[in-house]
Amino acid sequence: MTTQPQLPQPTSRKRRVPREIPRFVVLALLALLFLAPIYWMLSTSFKPESDTISLPIQWWPKNFTLQNYTEIFNSPDGNIGRWTLNSVFTSLSYTLLHLLFSVLAAYPLARMRFPGRDAWFWFVISSMMVPGIVTLIPSYIMMINLNWIDSYHALIWPGVSGAFGVFLLRQFFMSIPGELEEAAVLDGANSWQILWRVIVPLSVPVLVTLAVFAFMGSWNNYVWPLFVVHGDLQTLPVGITSFSSRYTTDYGKLMAGTAIASIPVLVAYLIGQRYLEQGLSAGGSKE
Amino acid sequence: MSDMTTKTAVPRKRSRRSSYNTGHPIVPWLYLLPHAIFFLGFIIFPVFYGLYISMHRWDPLLESQPFVGLEFYANLFKAGTPQSEFFWKTFINTAIFTVVSVPLLVGTSITLAVLLFKPIFGRAFFRSIFFMPGILSVSVMGILWKWLFENQSGLVNIILTEYLHLPGIPFLTTEGWAWVPIVLGTVWWTIGFNMTLYLAAMNNISKAIYEAAELDGATAFQQFRFITWPNLSSTTLFVVVTTVLGSFQLFGQPQLITGGGPVRSTQSVIMYITEEAFSNNQFSSAAAMAFMFGLIMLIFTAFQFWLQTRELRGSKK
């Protein structure tokens, strides 16, 4: 910023305020459109069944009720409490394992010299090119052979070694200055100690990013859990779709279910919001 | 892939200076081992196992799985088989969805990014609002958009009939119209990710260029046309490639919103492959289709990267 553009500032600022108004109005209208579906979901979930399709449109529930929420929790058609626990357990286990495996694998790939290092790295990375549909059916048959259908194993293990975590962490680990490592070596630290006492503490932001991505990815996973687990073992986002076929007309209950299925990812998003958008930007932008 | 090469090329030199081999040469492989076991077992092995399954008649009730070679692949090109009819029909459905949705997804996300790039009151709030739908599960998104577009009681039809006094549209059961909730829902659901990528790329464009253009009297549109758009070309190609690949994998939205109907008009390839496997129990046939479809996707990706490198080479000249 030079001094030149600062000179006409008083006049330009006066002009800029009204110029911003149309842009603000457009953004506000778009934001309303984007929020409307989520608002409609919440609004419907608090209405009794008779009010969900009443005219004129009830933007705010006239007969506010929590009945939909209490009823779906006690529904004979599916145990939404159990589905929630399944989702929490599998998503947390998956996130922890994915983080651990990725940290362990990214460390030598970023900070050690050994034959085959780059070849192995590119082999792992190139697996990201394989579309999920190619492995869906063989993986399903593997689950049958391992007797893992309808078990937590099928939900957790097959995805823990994805390439994305290794890629993200390796890029970050390489940016850590070597001097810190040298100092630790001089103090007599071995590689295991360097990893956990130097590298990992310096990588907290990227580890949080990866954790939020992994948690949300696992929580929202749909195709795989749809086929490998059934009944009480379903995850929450899949479980509520079985409500969808039962309560074809009772949208109050269905919206209560979708609201419950959204809350944990909304919380994860709010916790990781800044990291998440930064991580995404770092992944896509080019220097 | 090519953006990864450019990213890794620079820091690699730095790491060579600072890397240590502490101990035995087996040490690095011990660190790699836990990841490698599950990577080879659950990501690499299934690719080859899938190839094996697609060339044998795999039946859960049979003891042996006779080798049939490329029979299941040939079925996709043999007129008269349900596989050839529905595989290509659903392939065309998926292609139509891709052709319609990708320009919308890219165009709206770049528009939002431009609107949000310069400082404005409530910018962080707006960014969060546009990003938020993307964190929802596809099942939540699908059930919600089905409710919005219900033939009788959906919000959209209530607004159409009661407030605008137009005839209602039975979106979910009319060929053609059934794509509307699927495409709009997908735009709503995925726009935040692409918008964020664009905002990050726009941050990398030098502010001095805009200041110079403003001094020369360039309009906002001219600034976009001659500064923003050309500087975003590599991001646009990245977004287009990832969005096309994402659109090819269409599954949850039509499955939940229309069930693939009416008369398979919104059924996607992946929906048909899973139907063949899990409803018809034709696992080998489904595995062959998955490979065929994976191959088509790979050709498209290669073609897009070829376009990308050609454009980058061209812009340098």
Side-chain angles (χ1 to χ4, degrees):
Chain A
M1 293 285 157
T2 56
T3 47
Q4 238 185 349
Q6 279 172 358
L7 281 173
Q9 213 177 34
T11 54
S12 81
R13 185 165 279 179
K14 259 184 210 152
R15 253 193 291 121
R16 202 173 280 164
V17 172
R19 220 202 271 161
E20 272 177 5
I21 288 176
R23 192 156 61 98
F24 181 81
V25 170
V26 171
L27 280 169
L29 286 173
L30 285 171
L32 270 180
L33 265 180
F34 265 73
L35 276 179
I38 291 177
Y39 180 78
W40 194 239
M41 164 172 90
L42 293 173
S43 168
T44 306
S45 75
F46 293 117
K47 288 176 192 168
E49 191 182 339
S50 55
D51 281 5
T52 51
I53 53 172
S54 69
L55 287 167
I57 296 173
Q58 278 183 34
W59 290 107
W60 183 258
K62 198 165 60 183
N63 304 305
F64 188 92
T65 176
L66 290 173
Q67 206 188 349
N68 293 319
Y69 288 90
T70 54
E71 274 183 26
I72 58 164
F73 266 104
N74 299 310
S75 162
D77 297 319
N79 193 338
I80 208 165
R82 175 69 193 274
W83 294 339
T84 310
L85 288 178
N86 293 343
S87 272
V88 170
F89 174 71
T90 54
S91 298
L92 285 179
S93 313
Y94 168 83
T95 304
L96 284 173
L97 286 163
H98 182 60
L99 239 60
L100 177 69
F101 288 1
S102 302
V103 164
L104 291 177
Y107 174 52
L109 292 174
R111 317 278 323 178
M112 287 180 185
R113 250 183 303 162
F114 57 96
R117 179 189 70 173
D118 292 350
W120 178 256
F121 175 71
W122 286 109
F123 179 54
V124 171
I125 292 305
S126 61
S127 74
M128 289 204 277
M129 300 281 288
V130 179
I133 187 66
V134 168
T135 53
L136 178 72
I137 286 134
S139 300
Y140 178 81
I141 292 172
M142 282 173 72
M143 295 302 113
I144 297 178
N145 294 338
L146 289 166
N147 218 0
W148 278 5
I149 297 289
D150 288 327
S151 77
Y152 289 122
H153 294 298
L155 292 175
I156 297 168
W157 296 109
V160 289
S161 273
F164 177 70
V166 174
F167 173 70
L168 189 74
L169 293 184
R170 173 182 175 266
Q171 301 305 102
F172 191 86
F173 288 175
M174 288 200 311
S175 71
I176 295 171
E179 288 77 10
L180 293 166
E181 217 174 332
E182 279 166 40
V185 170
L186 289 175
D187 288 344
N190 59 34
S191 66
W192 184 255
Q193 291 164 324
I194 290 171
L195 173 61
W196 295 107
R197 295 196 187 164
V198 180
I199 306 281
V200 167
L202 287 169
S203 309
V204 170
V206 76
L207 291 171
V208 173
T209 307
L210 184 59
V212 172
F213 267 117
F215 182 85
M216 292 194 354
S218 172
W219 184 277
N220 287 337
N221 199 358
Y222 179 65
V223 183
W224 180 248
L226 180 65
F227 296 115
V228 292
V229 286
H230 312 86
D232 268 358
L233 271 145
Q234 284 180 106
T235 56
L236 186 52
V238 177
I240 55 155
T241 64
S242 57
F243 274 9
S244 171
S245 44
R246 288 225 178 77
Y247 301 118
T248 40
T249 50
D250 195 345
Y251 271 93
K253 287 200 185 65
L254 211 44
M255 290 301 115
T258 54
I260 290 168
S262 317
I263 290 163
V265 276
L266 280 170
V267 171
Y269 169 62
L270 292 174
I271 293 171
Q273 187 184 19
R274 184 172 305 167
Y275 294 121
L276 194 74
E277 291 191 22
Q278 270 172 10
L280 191 64
S281 311
S285 72
K286 278 129 220 161
E287 279 93 331
Chain B
M1 268 314 119
S2 72
D3 63 302
M4 289 170 190
T5 16
T6 54
K7 286 192 77 160
T8 51
V10 179
R12 189 179 290 160
K13 269 179 209 145
R14 208 189 308 153
S15 81
R16 191 154 290 165
R17 256 192 284 127
S18 64
S19 66
Y20 286 90
N21 259 345
T22 41
H24 198 268
I26 202 170
V27 167
W29 294 102
L30 288 177
Y31 283 102
L32 290 172
L33 193 65
H35 183 269
I37 290 171
F38 288 93
F39 177 74
L40 292 173
F42 287 121
I43 294 175
I44 300 303
F45 175 70
V47 177
F48 295 99
Y49 191 39
L51 206 57
Y52 174 89
I53 290 164
S54 73
M55 295 205 257
H56 292 72
R57 192 181 300 281
W58 199 91
D59 187 324
L61 301 173
L62 285 181
E63 272 297 305
S64 67
Q65 295 129 26
F67 177 77
V68 294
L70 296 176
E71 188 191 309
F72 290 113
Y73 294 88
N75 278 346
L76 300 179
F77 298 97
K78 207 184 287 168
T81 63
Q83 284 82 6
S84 70
E85 186 188 340
F86 296 135
F87 179 80
W88 295 109
K89 179 172 173 48
T90 54
F91 177 77
I92 289 168
N93 291 342
T94 311
I96 291 172
F97 169 78
T98 306
V99 168
V100 173
S101 70
V102 169
L104 258 176
L105 287 166
V106 177
T108 42
S109 57
I110 200 167
T111 309
L112 275 185
V114 168
L115 286 171
L116 276 175
F117 181 60
K118 285 184 184 163
I120 193 157
F121 178 74
R123 184 161 68 158
F125 173 76
F126 284 131
R127 282 181 62 154
S128 306
I129 295 296
F130 298 132
F131 193 83
M132 201 162 47
I135 64 169
L136 299 176
S137 160
V138 69
S139 57
V140 167
M141 174 260 161
I143 293 171
L144 180 53
W145 281 74
K146 187 183 177 191
W147 166 223
L148 290 169
F149 282 84
E150 274 286 311
N151 288 347
Q152 306 296 324
S153 51
L155 185 62
V156 174
N157 268 319
I158 291 179
I159 291 174
L160 280 178
T161 54
E162 301 296 323
Y163 293 83
L164 303 173
H165 302 290
L166 294 165
I169 299 164
F171 284 102
L172 303 183
T173 50
T174 314
E175 260 186 68
W177 284 112
W179 280 110
V180 172
I182 296 170
V183 171
L184 290 183
T186 306
V187 171
W188 177 77
W189 186 45
T190 52
I191 204 167
F193 286 95
N194 287 346
M195 178 198 76
T196 307
L197 294 179
Y198 271 122
L199 280 171
M202 285 162 77
N203 265 324
N204 290 341
I205 305 174
S206 159
K207 304 287 172 293
I209 308 177
Y210 287 104
E211 282 165 18
E214 210 152 314
L215 285 176
D216 288 345
T219 64
F221 177 75
Q222 285 171 326
Q223 288 181 31
F224 174 78
R225 171 69 187 81
F226 295 106
I227 304 172
T228 314
W229 179 249
N231 273 296
L232 291 180
S233 64
S234 63
T235 306
T236 300
L237 280 154
F238 178 79
V239 168
V240 168
V241 171
T242 51
T243 311
V244 167
L245 290 180
S247 299
F248 271 156
Q249 315 220 28
L250 178 71
F251 176 78
Q253 300 97 304
Q255 201 229 20
L256 291 151
I257 296 174
T258 62
V263 270
R264 290 188 197 262
S265 66
T266 57
Q267 193 179 35
S268 72
V269 185
I270 297 206
M271 280 173 80
Y272 180 57
I273 294 173
T274 56
E275 182 192 313
E276 181 79 343
F278 302 108
S279 304
N280 305 344
N281 278 317
Q282 297 291 321
F283 288 99
S284 296
S285 168
M289 288 180 200
F291 257 89
M292 181 63 76
F293 185 55
L295 192 70
I296 296 170
M297 282 174 76
L298 204 68
I299 293 168
F300 264 88
T301 323
F303 177 66
Q304 282 176 323
F305 278 113
W306 175 76
L307 274 182
Q308 175 168 14
T309 49
R310 195 185 62 157
E311 185 142 321
L312 289 179
R313 259 181 269 133
S315 68
K316 262 172 204 164
K317 275 170 195 166

